[in-house]
Amino acid sequence: MHHRADDGVQTRAVAGPPGLRTSVIRSVVHRAVVGHGDEVIGFEDGFKGLLDGRHRKLDLDAVSGILARGGTILGSSRLERARLREACESSKELAREYGIDVLIPIGGEGTLTAARMLSDAGLPVVGVPKTIDNDISSTDRTFGFDTAVGVATEAIDRLKTTAESHQRVMVVEVMGRHAGWIALESGMAGGAHGICLPERAFDPADLASMVEERFARGKKFAVICVAEGAHPAEGTMDYKKGAIDQFGHERFAGIGTKLAGELERRLGKEARPVILGHVQRGGTPTAYDRVLATRFGWHAVEAAHRGDFGKMTALKGTDIRMVPLAEATTELKRVPENRMDEAESVF
Amino acid sequence: MHHRADDGVQTRAVAGPPGLRTSVIRSVVHRAVVGHGDEVIGFEDGFKGLLDGRHRKLDLDAVSGILARGGTILGSSRLERARLREACESSKELAREYGIDVLIPIGGEGTLTAARMLSDAGLPVVGVPKTIDNDISSTDRTFGFDTAVGVATEAIDRLKTTAESHQRVMVVEVMGRHAGWIALESGMAGGAHGICLPERAFDPADLASMVEERFARGKKFAVICVAEGAHPAEGTMDYKKGAIDQFGHERFAGIGTKLAGELERRLGKEARPVILGHVQRGGTPTAYDRVLATRFGWHAVEAAHRGDFGKMTALKGTDIRMVPLAEATTELKRVPENRMDEAESVF
Amino acid sequence: MHHRADDGVQTRAVAGPPGLRTSVIRSVVHRAVVGHGDEVIGFEDGFKGLLDGRHRKLDLDAVSGILARGGTILGSSRLERARLREACESSKELAREYGIDVLIPIGGEGTLTAARMLSDAGLPVVGVPKTIDNDISSTDRTFGFDTAVGVATEAIDRLKTTAESHQRVMVVEVMGRHAGWIALESGMAGGAHGICLPERAFDPADLASMVEERFARGKKFAVICVAEGAHPAEGTMDYKKGAIDQFGHERFAGIGTKLAGELERRLGKEARPVILGHVQRGGTPTAYDRVLATRFGWHAVEAAHRGDFGKMTALKGTDIRMVPLAEATTELKRVPENRMDEAESVF
Amino acid sequence: MHHRADDGVQTRAVAGPPGLRTSVIRSVVHRAVVGHGDEVIGFEDGFKGLLDGRHRKLDLDAVSGILARGGTILGSSRLERARLREACESSKELAREYGIDVLIPIGGEGTLTAARMLSDAGLPVVGVPKTIDNDISSTDRTFGFDTAVGVATEAIDRLKTTAESHQRVMVVEVMGRHAGWIALESGMAGGAHGICLPERAFDPADLASMVEERFARGKKFAVICVAEGAHPAEGTMDYKKGAIDQFGHERFAGIGTKLAGELERRLGKEARPVILGHVQRGGTPTAYDRVLATRFGWHAVEAAHRGDFGKMTALKGTDIRMVPLAEATTELKRVPENRMDEAESVF
């Protein structure tokens, strides 16, 4: 490391709300401790732990056997914006207090925006993008996404058998509030007969026609894959967003349930909603995600040792590159037109 | 075969609503065609196809490569009781018309009750129990159950990681309207912290206490596994069954969603429902289910050749036995007290 | 508990070579600690740890989050017979030294025979059968078996696609030195075209004919599933067992490799061996195995509290019963004739 | 389409040795038939079927329900170089005979080199790269690779549990004769403690030291992942390649088995080889591979309609681009130094 912390120990802090992944932490610890002789500490529950001073040392034993585990070994939390601002103001003191040479936050849009604020406030920060939604700009993929797509695809595979046996229409709602990547790729991989994304308003009449054509051709079932953030085109369907509860969730009936009801009404056939929900999040990551996470961790440590701060790790083709946090957090990466065209024309 | 059909060809019919499984059909065809030189025909959409005369020949080619597929290659349907009675009355003509030496219906309580009616009406019938609910009496297990438990357990595994990372209460609703077998076994296998079954009314206050104790011990998450047919004890929770729609489904909010709301209210903590639904049904069957299905098919053919009619195949320990349909369909097999005690005391 | 240990603490010891499973340990700890207020200690590396005095306390925290893990949290070992005899002689002192009220060894034939010796020597013992080979008498199934069959079946599924694409004969060798349960059930579940078990000598000429018939019918591939302990009938194939190395393994070419070579010679077609080996052992257990393990653990603790010693937990139909260790260890449970007949006649 | 075939029907031919994948075929058929009104025919067993005139029409029904299947619906074959040259010479007649507007071969290095020869001979060709080895230049990834890495990683996960329980060294041999991509990524994803690739000779002394250090640190197991094409550095190990049989295989003991023996000799500890072999090839493809295959198929059809011949589909970042077959088949894509450095330094 370039700088030595006050207490004469090389230190590096890992923080990570919401959903810091074990395989990145493992990789950071291996590379930093074995490769550079650094000391690594982890803040419990991410930035919250940073402010509250709850942390613990992460050595090789702490990360042993965690590669096939999902989730986080540190916990995560949502931090109110006010407290984050407080952290920014006191960031230099914080860094001095813990003897931090670099802070490595791991997370999605919220975490990386916070990372950018801390970086702007003068803290040495290297970010790692982690979100199942794949909606971070400047990187081909975020990790967690491949695993979520795998879970959703397996569910669609299962639903297709049961839809076929029972001659039914199934509407499967997958995650993706602002970007439809999971719906796009799981719908394509699972061979869904219709895909609805937040990026392009759908017309329930088109979906109903597609189903009717299938039934007319003797294919007496259909599976439609819909992102939770998808919405009907203006005036095509009686639709309003459900009330939002105190925990930020739309209660009871999301778009999947509503679309199933609408299709039932139009088709006079049973249409069942299936809401995959949190099942897409946890569990053992795919090999793809573990490789990506491991490489991200490795490159984050190398960037830290080069003093390449204010950036995050990014996948570009087959390479890992460092891109400015500012560039990565300016806007969400949404599904482009040509990908939607591809998806719509193979089914 | 004992009897020869009118047209001089040995014939055997396979019918199967709702959810006739490919691996039984494959086994029946292999054993009957290769082992005995029989001819096998399958009725499309089960009993409906029998009445409508829609059937096709099932030879080795028709069942090639289907062992790892779930669902059915014949389709299935729900048949109204009136039409079934019609089938019973005309059953002997039906049998003569198709040259049927034996009818092998594959399904759950509805199918097997119909099978019993046809048998009582004089048709030669050998049943095969298939239901993911495992609620057929006189057999240790039905096939489809192991696969459903596997899917539900994997979902609970995933939810536990995410519940732990996000410090949440999750309520996962699994299938089981009248019998709680899936909830019992997936809850036990997944290590759910609470299990609610139709067989024993639950008290939400107990569940809330359990969660609070866990949080007090520093385990800041909990997963509760609830069968769709579970219900609160009288007076413990403001609860009424949802309205039933024209397709026989309780719309929008089942017990999982309601219980999550109730826990949120009591705990002041976020509690999220996850409804697994039809994902539990389809897909590649487990090895256990494939072995059971194959053995059931084999023994059904042997029973037919022995003229052992009016019975169904059943698993007893490690053996396959024939049990009277009358005995198997008298009452549903529900989870006994001692199994619930076991489950409640290991968590 | 009946007895109190010297130090006034109720104590129970868990030992388990070779391959003690985490889900049994978890269940024992939950039931004993939460249900009865007992104290549980685990001996590292099974009986070896018992003799060497290496043990640690197992409380709720020690078994948290291990249900989906395979393997053991305690390690395992093979113990030489002489040292075991030593343990038997000093068993009462051992029990007194550690304040043991009951010893719960978990394992296969070797472990349970040792358990019986310790029981005969006067130690209070309750055994739990665990072996992937399913070859313990007096129980319908051992746990670990369902998981091994699942892994082997998935491998056969994969090999069938590749055998079909490449028009090849594949010989897949699965575990089972003395009993062919894994080959029987994975071969049946995977739809192997031939199954060779230790219980019935095979004739390579029959296998070659079967393959030739398939190719003649236009099915230009075949998969044969062979237990590692299978052997050709006298005089049918030039065959001798390979040399045994210092670690007890037949080096290089087992029966799978030899049979593939023999078939290649006879058929003039490529026949490739695939040896699954240790892949069948580890990993996340199936839901079936986790339920069985949890129930075994629960009943072992209850038996201990009833003073029902010298027995092991056993699955009989859907019930868990206690059976004498003497009965369970007299002879291996091998595949009976009727199961082999079933398997041979559906393919 | 630009050209109309002699019989007035738009035609497109799909050929694909060795290992033409169903999901590409499905995508080609969907896009060509639905999107453009083309007619598609498939040649059985790839180029062999092209020469022998064995083909069949591929319409929507022919590709229904095959997305989750691996392997090929057309079969594949190895074609001798002489016959391929014959095909090149007669290629224009062939194209005229079948009324072919474009030939879409799907496969690895051999298939794509053949495709290039046919293209050079004047046939309109659009290639699709498919090989589990990921060794085709000019594309970030080939499809089939992600699935193979997934299977190998799951195997390593399982082997780690069993290696840990039994305190053993395991050497797992994965595919990759000339390029070590599978070993690199599955070794990294599975957390293998050593990785040996064809691209960099290994020294068994280094591997032995690594294992001894682990044992000294109390980690009494190790898993080493070795590509089948890996080899020891000159003079470090008594090693010669095994004899090659008539089917082109090294018989009995590949590098995995030999390295395990060498480690056993050096360490005096048991070291077991596990050879994954063909299990890596078949089975249900991952979601990643299905998306890639579907996009490749879609873009191949579009390229054909643009007359963009002599090229193959390639993944570049998140885009599908067309690259010249000449560029793609000049040299194998091997693991670069920096990827090996990454992999070696995180374990």
Side-chain angles (χ1 to χ4, degrees):
Chain A
M1 283 296 295
H2 306 255
H3 327 277
R4 299 207 123 227
D6 285 0
D7 56 356
V9 185
Q10 290 174 340
T11 314
R12 169 161 307 125
V14 179
L20 174 151
R21 284 281 173 138
T22 51
S23 32
V24 179
I25 303 179
R26 176 181 177 278
S27 173
V28 165
V29 171
H30 274 251
R31 183 60 187 155
V33 172
V34 179
H36 295 280
D38 300 333
E39 185 174 296
V40 182
I41 60 173
F43 290 102
E44 316 254 340
D45 307 334
F47 290 128
K48 215 167 207 168
L50 176 64
L51 288 172
D52 301 348
R54 283 174 296 117
H55 59 83
R56 54 195 165 97
K57 194 178 161 186
L58 293 177
D59 54 15
L60 290 188
D61 275 347
V63 297
S64 174
I66 66 175
L67 198 57
R69 283 187 55 191
T72 169
I73 55 169
L74 287 174
S76 72
S77 62
R78 284 183 195 280
L79 194 65
E80 313 76 58
R81 210 144 257 270
R83 291 211 62 200
L84 194 62
R85 214 158 282 134
E86 175 193 328
C88 286
E89 274 155 35
S90 58
S91 64
K92 283 184 187 154
E93 289 88 313
L94 276 174
R96 200 173 310 125
E97 185 183 339
Y98 297 114
I100 291 175
D101 293 313
V102 61
L103 191 71
I104 305 180
I106 308 168
E109 205 257 341
T111 303
L112 296 172
T113 302
R116 179 186 170 182
M117 289 167 65
L118 290 171
S119 176
D120 290 348
L123 223 63
V125 170
V126 174
V128 175
K130 182 244 139 302
T131 162
I132 66 166
D133 289 337
N134 196 37
D135 59 0
I136 302 297
S137 291
S138 309
T139 182
D140 287 356
R141 291 196 153 209
T142 54
F143 79 90
F145 173 60
D146 193 68
T147 302
V149 170
V151 171
T153 300
E154 199 191 311
I156 295 175
D157 282 352
R158 292 191 177 275
L159 291 173
K160 281 182 93 168
T161 2
T162 202
E164 188 172 8
S165 297
H166 293 261
Q167 308 196 343
R168 264 189 203 155
V169 177
M170 296 270 185
V171 176
V172 53
E173 183 187 303
V174 302
M175 284 192 166
R177 203 156 296 188
H178 305 292
W181 292 103
I182 295 177
L184 176 81
E185 299 230 333
S186 65
M188 192 179 240
H193 308 102
I195 299 178
C196 304
L197 309 180
E199 286 88 349
R200 183 181 281 183
F202 64 86
D203 184 338
D206 294 343
L207 293 168
S209 309
M210 178 277 291
V211 174
E212 274 168 350
E213 274 165 38
R214 282 184 60 81
F215 275 72
R217 277 197 291 130
K219 295 283 180 188
K220 297 190 178 305
F221 72 101
V223 173
I224 292 162
C225 181
V226 51
E228 60 181 334
H231 52 90
E234 187 83 27
T236 58
M237 176 175 149
D238 182 28
Y239 169 82
K240 53 179 175 201
K241 302 276 287 180
I244 301 297
D245 68 17
Q246 56 163 324
F247 300 105
H249 299 290
E250 191 180 344
R251 262 302 138 98
F252 297 151
I255 186 63
T257 308
K258 282 169 181 156
L259 177 56
E262 178 74 15
L263 289 174
E264 232 169 48
R265 208 181 51 73
R266 286 175 183 265
L267 297 165
K269 286 182 201 347
E270 194 174 348
R272 302 290 300 151
V274 174
I275 317 302
L276 290 187
H278 289 81
V279 174
Q280 293 158 85
R281 259 187 201 291
T284 303
T286 59
Y288 183 97
D289 270 344
R290 294 195 225 169
V291 170
L292 188 58
T294 302
R295 297 184 73 197
F296 275 176
W298 193 91
H299 283 270
V301 172
E302 293 307 293
H305 275 267
R306 285 195 311 270
D308 201 3
F309 300 130
K311 297 187 179 163
M312 75 167 197
T313 56
L315 177 70
K316 299 277 195 183
T318 59
D319 294 329
I320 308 297
R321 301 270 172 76
M322 300 307 297
V323 299
L325 281 165
E327 180 189 316
T329 55
T330 304
E331 59 179 329
L332 283 184
K333 183 178 69 179
R334 313 187 85 209
V335 178
E337 292 286 321
N338 66 320
R339 292 299 302 275
M340 284 188 275
D341 293 342
E342 270 175 44
E344 282 182 5
S345 59
V346 284
F347 302 107
Chain B
M1 283 295 294
H2 306 255
H3 326 277
R4 298 207 121 229
D6 286 358
D7 57 356
V9 184
Q10 290 174 338
T11 314
R12 169 160 307 127
V14 181
L20 176 151
R21 284 280 173 137
T22 51
S23 33
V24 179
I25 302 178
R26 175 181 177 278
S27 173
V28 164
V29 171
H30 273 251
R31 183 60 186 155
V33 172
V34 179
H36 295 280
D38 300 333
E39 185 174 294
V40 182
I41 60 173
F43 290 101
E44 314 254 342
D45 306 335
F47 290 130
K48 217 168 204 167
L50 176 64
L51 288 172
D52 302 348
R54 285 175 295 117
H55 59 84
R56 54 191 166 103
K57 196 179 158 183
L58 294 176
D59 55 15
L60 290 188
D61 275 348
V63 297
S64 175
I66 66 175
L67 197 58
R69 283 186 56 192
T72 168
I73 56 168
L74 287 173
S76 72
S77 62
R78 283 182 196 279
L79 193 64
E80 313 77 56
R81 209 144 258 268
R83 291 210 63 201
L84 194 61
R85 215 159 278 134
E86 177 194 325
C88 286
E89 272 154 35
S90 59
S91 64
K92 283 183 185 154
E93 288 89 312
L94 277 173
R96 201 172 308 126
E97 186 184 337
Y98 296 114
I100 291 175
D101 292 315
V102 62
L103 191 71
I104 305 180
I106 309 169
E109 205 257 339
T111 302
L112 296 173
T113 301
R116 179 186 170 181
M117 288 167 66
L118 290 171
S119 176
D120 290 347
L123 223 64
V125 170
V126 174
V128 175
K130 182 245 139 297
T131 164
I132 66 166
D133 289 337
N134 196 35
D135 59 1
I136 304 296
S137 291
S138 308
T139 182
D140 286 357
R141 290 196 154 208
T142 55
F143 79 90
F145 172 61
D146 194 67
T147 303
V149 170
V151 172
T153 300
E154 199 189 311
I156 296 174
D157 282 353
R158 291 191 178 276
L159 292 173
K160 281 181 92 168
T161 1
T162 201
E164 188 172 7
S165 297
H166 294 261
Q167 307 197 343
R168 262 185 205 160
V169 177
M170 297 270 186
V171 176
V172 53
E173 183 186 302
V174 301
M175 284 192 167
R177 204 155 297 188
H178 305 292
W181 293 103
I182 294 178
L184 176 80
E185 299 229 334
S186 65
M188 192 180 240
H193 308 102
I195 299 178
C196 303
L197 309 180
E199 287 88 347
R200 184 181 279 181
F202 65 84
D203 184 339
D206 293 344
L207 293 167
S209 309
M210 179 276 292
V211 173
E212 275 169 349
E213 273 165 39
R214 282 184 60 80
F215 274 72
R217 276 198 291 132
K219 296 283 179 186
K220 296 190 179 305
F221 72 102
V223 174
I224 292 163
C225 180
V226 51
E228 60 180 334
H231 52 89
E234 188 82 28
T236 58
M237 175 175 152
D238 182 26
Y239 169 81
K240 53 180 174 200
K241 301 277 287 179
I244 300 298
D245 67 18
Q246 54 162 325
F247 301 105
H249 298 291
E250 191 180 342
R251 264 300 137 100
F252 296 151
I255 185 63
T257 307
K258 282 169 182 157
L259 177 56
E262 177 74 17
L263 289 174
E264 231 169 47
R265 208 181 52 73
R266 286 175 183 264
L267 296 164
K269 286 181 200 350
E270 193 173 349
R272 303 289 301 151
V274 174
I275 318 300
L276 291 187
H278 288 80
V279 175
Q280 294 159 83
R281 261 188 198 293
T284 303
T286 59
Y288 183 98
D289 269 345
R290 294 196 225 169
V291 170
L292 188 58
T294 302
R295 297 184 73 197
F296 274 176
W298 194 91
H299 283 271
V301 172
E302 293 306 293
H305 274 267
R306 285 195 312 268
D308 201 4
F309 300 130
K311 298 187 179 165
M312 74 167 200
T313 56
L315 178 69
K316 300 278 194 182
T318 58
D319 295 327
I320 308 297
R321 302 269 171 77
M322 301 306 297
V323 299
L325 282 165
E327 181 189 315
T329 55
T330 304
E331 58 177 332
L332 284 183
K333 184 178 69 178
R334 313 186 85 209
V335 178
E337 291 286 321
N338 68 318
R339 292 299 302 273
M340 285 189 275
D341 292 342
E342 270 175 44
E344 284 184 2
S345 59
V346 284
F347 302 108
Chain C
M1 281 298 294
H2 307 255
H3 327 277
R4 298 205 123 230
D6 285 1
D7 56 355
V9 185
Q10 290 174 338
T11 314
R12 170 161 308 125
V14 181
L20 175 150
R21 284 281 172 136
T22 51
S23 33
V24 179
I25 303 178
R26 176 181 176 277
S27 173
V28 164
V29 171
H30 273 252
R31 183 60 186 154
V33 172
V34 179
H36 295 281
D38 300 332
E39 185 174 295
V40 182
I41 60 173
F43 290 102
E44 316 254 341
D45 307 334
F47 290 130
K48 216 168 205 168
L50 177 64
L51 288 172
D52 301 348
R54 285 176 295 116
H55 60 82
R56 55 193 165 100
K57 195 177 160 185
L58 295 176
D59 55 15
L60 290 188
D61 275 347
V63 297
S64 175
I66 65 175
L67 198 57
R69 283 187 55 192
T72 168
I73 55 169
L74 287 173
S76 72
S77 62
R78 283 183 197 280
L79 193 64
E80 312 78 56
R81 208 144 259 268
R83 291 211 62 201
L84 194 62
R85 214 158 280 134
E86 178 195 325
C88 286
E89 273 155 34
S90 59
S91 63
K92 284 187 186 150
E93 288 89 314
L94 277 173
R96 199 173 309 126
E97 185 183 338
Y98 297 115
I100 291 175
D101 293 313
V102 61
L103 191 71
I104 305 181
I106 308 169
E109 205 257 340
T111 303
L112 296 173
T113 301
R116 179 185 169 182
M117 288 167 67
L118 291 171
S119 176
D120 290 347
L123 223 64
V125 170
V126 174
V128 175
K130 182 244 138 301
T131 163
I132 66 167
D133 289 336
N134 196 36
D135 59 0
I136 303 297
S137 291
S138 309
T139 182
D140 286 356
R141 290 195 153 209
T142 54
F143 78 91
F145 173 61
D146 193 68
T147 303
V149 170
V151 171
T153 299
E154 200 190 312
I156 296 175
D157 281 352
R158 292 191 177 275
L159 291 173
K160 281 182 93 168
T161 2
T162 202
E164 188 172 6
S165 295
H166 293 261
Q167 307 196 345
R168 263 186 204 157
V169 178
M170 295 270 185
V171 176
V172 53
E173 182 187 302
V174 300
M175 284 192 167
R177 204 155 295 188
H178 305 292
W181 292 103
I182 295 178
L184 177 81
E185 299 230 334
S186 66
M188 192 179 239
H193 307 102
I195 299 178
C196 304
L197 310 180
E199 288 87 349
R200 184 181 277 182
F202 65 85
D203 184 339
D206 293 343
L207 293 168
S209 309
M210 179 275 292
V211 173
E212 274 168 348
E213 273 165 39
R214 281 184 61 81
F215 274 72
R217 277 197 292 131
K219 296 282 178 188
K220 298 190 178 304
F221 71 102
V223 174
I224 292 163
C225 180
V226 51
E228 60 181 334
H231 52 89
E234 186 84 28
T236 59
M237 177 176 150
D238 182 25
Y239 170 82
K240 55 181 174 196
K241 301 277 284 180
I244 300 297
D245 68 18
Q246 56 162 324
F247 300 105
H249 298 291
E250 190 181 343
R251 262 300 137 99
F252 296 153
I255 185 64
T257 307
K258 282 169 183 158
L259 177 56
E262 177 74 15
L263 288 174
E264 231 169 46
R265 207 181 51 74
R266 285 176 184 263
L267 295 164
K269 288 182 201 345
E270 194 174 348
R272 301 290 301 152
V274 174
I275 317 301
L276 292 187
H278 289 79
V279 174
Q280 295 159 83
R281 259 187 203 291
T284 303
T286 60
Y288 183 98
D289 269 345
R290 295 196 226 168
V291 170
L292 187 58
T294 301
R295 298 184 72 197
F296 275 178
W298 193 90
H299 283 271
V301 172
E302 293 307 292
H305 274 267
R306 285 195 311 270
D308 201 4
F309 300 130
K311 296 187 180 165
M312 75 168 198
T313 56
L315 178 69
K316 300 277 194 181
T318 59
D319 295 328
I320 308 297
R321 301 270 171 77
M322 301 306 297
V323 299
L325 281 165
E327 182 190 314
T329 55
T330 304
E331 57 179 331
L332 283 184
K333 184 178 68 177
R334 313 186 84 208
V335 178
E337 291 286 321
N338 67 319
R339 292 299 302 274
M340 284 189 274
D341 292 342
E342 270 175 43
E344 283 183 4
S345 59
V346 285
F347 302 107
Chain D
M1 283 295 296
H2 306 255
H3 326 277
R4 299 206 122 229
D6 286 359
D7 57 356
V9 184
Q10 290 174 338
T11 314
R12 169 161 308 127
V14 180
L20 174 152
R21 284 280 173 137
T22 52
S23 33
V24 179
I25 303 178
R26 176 181 176 278
S27 174
V28 165
V29 170
H30 273 251
R31 182 62 186 154
V33 172
V34 179
H36 295 280
D38 301 331
E39 185 173 294
V40 182
I41 60 174
F43 290 102
E44 315 254 342
D45 307 336
F47 290 130
K48 216 168 206 167
L50 176 64
L51 288 172
D52 302 347
R54 285 175 295 117
H55 59 83
R56 54 192 166 100
K57 195 179 159 183
L58 293 177
D59 55 14
L60 290 188
D61 275 347
V63 297
S64 174
I66 66 175
L67 198 57
R69 282 187 56 192
T72 169
I73 56 168
L74 288 174
S76 72
S77 61
R78 284 184 194 280
L79 194 65
E80 312 77 59
R81 209 143 257 268
R83 291 212 62 202
L84 195 61
R85 215 158 279 134
E86 177 193 326
C88 285
E89 273 154 35
S90 58
S91 64
K92 283 183 185 155
E93 288 89 312
L94 277 173
R96 199 173 310 127
E97 185 183 339
Y98 296 114
I100 290 175
D101 292 315
V102 62
L103 191 71
I104 305 180
I106 308 168
E109 205 257 339
T111 302
L112 296 173
T113 302
R116 177 185 172 182
M117 288 167 67
L118 290 171
S119 176
D120 290 348
L123 223 63
V125 170
V126 174
V128 175
K130 181 244 139 303
T131 163
I132 67 168
D133 288 338
N134 196 36
D135 58 1
I136 304 296
S137 290
S138 308
T139 182
D140 286 356
R141 289 196 155 209
T142 55
F143 78 91
F145 173 60
D146 193 68
T147 303
V149 171
V151 172
T153 300
E154 199 190 311
I156 296 175
D157 282 352
R158 291 191 177 276
L159 291 173
K160 281 182 93 167
T161 1
T162 202
E164 188 172 6
S165 296
H166 294 261
Q167 308 196 343
R168 264 186 202 156
V169 177
M170 296 271 186
V171 176
V172 53
E173 183 186 304
V174 301
M175 284 192 165
R177 204 156 296 188
H178 305 294
W181 292 103
I182 295 178
L184 177 80
E185 298 230 335
S186 65
M188 192 179 241
H193 308 103
I195 299 179
C196 303
L197 309 181
E199 287 87 349
R200 184 181 280 182
F202 64 86
D203 184 338
D206 292 343
L207 292 168
S209 310
M210 179 276 291
V211 173
E212 273 168 350
E213 274 165 38
R214 281 184 60 81
F215 274 72
R217 276 198 291 132
K219 295 283 180 187
K220 297 190 177 306
F221 71 102
V223 174
I224 292 163
C225 181
V226 50
E228 60 180 334
H231 51 90
E234 187 84 29
T236 59
M237 176 175 149
D238 182 26
Y239 169 81
K240 56 180 172 199
K241 300 277 287 179
I244 301 297
D245 68 18
Q246 56 163 322
F247 300 104
H249 297 291
E250 190 181 344
R251 262 302 136 99
F252 296 150
I255 185 63
T257 307
K258 282 170 182 156
L259 177 56
E262 177 73 16
L263 289 174
E264 231 169 48
R265 209 182 51 73
R266 284 175 184 266
L267 296 164
K269 286 183 201 348
E270 194 174 348
R272 302 290 301 152
V274 174
I275 317 301
L276 290 187
H278 287 81
V279 174
Q280 293 159 84
R281 260 187 199 292
T284 303
T286 59
Y288 183 98
D289 269 344
R290 294 195 225 169
V291 170
L292 188 58
T294 301
R295 298 184 72 197
F296 275 178
W298 193 92
H299 284 270
V301 172
E302 293 306 293
H305 274 266
R306 285 195 311 269
D308 201 5
F309 299 130
K311 298 188 179 163
M312 75 167 197
T313 56
L315 177 69
K316 299 277 194 181
T318 59
D319 295 328
I320 308 298
R321 301 269 171 78
M322 300 307 297
V323 299
L325 280 165
E327 181 189 315
T329 55
T330 304
E331 59 177 331
L332 284 184
K333 184 178 69 179
R334 313 187 86 209
V335 178
E337 292 286 321
N338 66 320
R339 291 299 302 273
M340 285 189 275
D341 292 343
E342 269 175 44
E344 282 184 4
S345 59
V346 284
F347 302 107

